Amino acid sequence: MKYLPVFLIFTFFLSSLSAEINEPVRHQVFPGMILPSSELVSRTQPSGDEIVSPAQFDRVEGVLLAWSGWDQELIRDISYVISQDDCVYMLVSSIFNQAVASSFLQAGNVNMDNVYFIIDPDISGTSMWIRDYGPFYIYEDGVRAIVDFFYGVYWGDDDIPFTIAAEFDLDIYESNLMHHGGNHISDGNGMAFCTTNIFDYNPSYSQHDVRAIFKEYLGIDSLVVIDKMNSDGTGHIDMFCKLLSDTLFIVGEYAIPE
């Protein structure tokens, strides 16, 4: 059985508009970064009889974005298209930034009747990759819920799934497995795809343990793990392929850097 996910998560984030605009940071394990341990947090997991991870190509009810000092024009353009028929859920860091974002979007003829703001003052101002730290949606016995994996790049961003869960009154389940949304593709039928980052980022877990967590939290019976793309700092699967249906992939072809 297939279910519709709550939101499609785009890769944008917020920073203070008065601050200097920086290029977005690539998400990778950097020197000195503390990788997760199985003892870091107490884990809570779904207990339902049927756990379903929606397919990324399924229909959605809205798009989750975040207002950023970086490339506001692109965020505005995406919001303009989406807001014509669907909802835009926009994360902002403060009431002030909400007012600034609202003014900018209105000037771009965004349909503000379909824009809803969510305030979280603890989000970092340095990362825009909400696709990576945002919530993973599941259906637990047909009821929407959220899974929060360990993000580990910017601590403030790690709490975003809890903000979304509180905003929409959804159950949330926490795991300290480090897993980024950009390294996750689901076909909606119990199969998921990611790169070897999932093992590299979680040295305290065996491969068997990682697969068991995918099963327990996301209902993934078959986890397909492939090599990372050469010369890509993120190591995420979404850098080179996308699932268009449960039988069709689109894969990028890139020249080897010299």
Side-chain angles (χ1 to χ4, degrees), residues 67-235:
W67 184 250
S68 173
W70 187 87
D71 215 343
Q72 303 101 321
E73 291 80 7
L74 181 57
I75 297 174
R76 178 200 60 202
D77 292 346
I78 292 173
S79 299
Y80 172 80
V81 174
I82 295 167
S83 67
Q84 301 309 302
D85 299 300
D86 296 296
C87 297
V88 175
Y89 298 92
M90 186 75 72
L91 284 166
V92 293
S93 61
S94 64
I95 294 177
F96 170 77
N97 274 345
Q98 176 178 331
V100 172
S102 180
S103 177
F104 190 85
L105 295 175
Q106 287 184 56
N109 296 316
V110 173
N111 179 9
M112 299 306 293
D113 290 337
N114 286 338
V115 177
Y116 303 88
F117 289 97
I118 301 171
I119 297 176
D120 187 328
D122 296 324
I123 303 173
S124 83
T126 55
S127 173
M128 73 174 199
W129 304 112
I130 195 171
R131 178 72 181 92
D132 291 325
Y133 58 75
F136 286 74
Y137 289 99
I138 61 170
Y139 282 87
E140 182 180 14
D141 294 335
V143 179
R144 291 166 175 164
I146 284 175
V147 171
D148 174 38
F149 289 112
F150 181 55
Y151 176 53
V153 180
Y154 300 105
W155 294 106
D157 300 336
D158 257 312
D159 294 332
I160 290 300
F162 286 88
T163 298
I164 302 304
E167 181 73 20
F168 297 100
D169 193 25
L170 300 174
D171 287 338
I172 185 168
Y173 302 103
E174 183 180 18
S175 170
N176 60 320
L177 185 79
M178 181 184 282
H179 188 37
H180 298 164
N183 196 33
H184 186 86
I185 295 175
S186 171
D187 75 345
N189 296 317
M191 179 177 285
F193 305 82
C194 65
T195 72
T196 51
N197 262 17
I198 193 64
F199 300 140
D200 296 341
Y201 280 10
N202 296 280
S204 64
Y205 288 104
S206 69
Q207 293 190 18
H208 174 79
D209 290 338
V210 170
R211 295 178 187 278
I213 291 171
F214 270 69
K215 170 63 175 176
E216 295 165 0
Y217 282 82
L218 301 174
I220 299 301
D221 300 307
S222 178
L223 177 62
V224 179
V225 181
I226 63 178
D227 288 338
K228 296 175 284 188
M229 183 171 67
N230 292 336
S231 303
D232 168 41
T234 71

Side-chain angles (χ1 to χ4, degrees), residues 226-232 234 236-242 250-258:
I226 63 178
D227 288 338
K228 296 175 284 188
M229 183 171 67
N230 292 336
S231 303
D232 168 41
T234 71
H236 292 170
I237 195 169
D238 69 353
M239 298 299 290
F240 58 91
C241 67
K242 181 177 178 59
I250 182 171
V251 179
E253 182 178 3
Y254 303 89
I256 299 176
E258 298 181 356

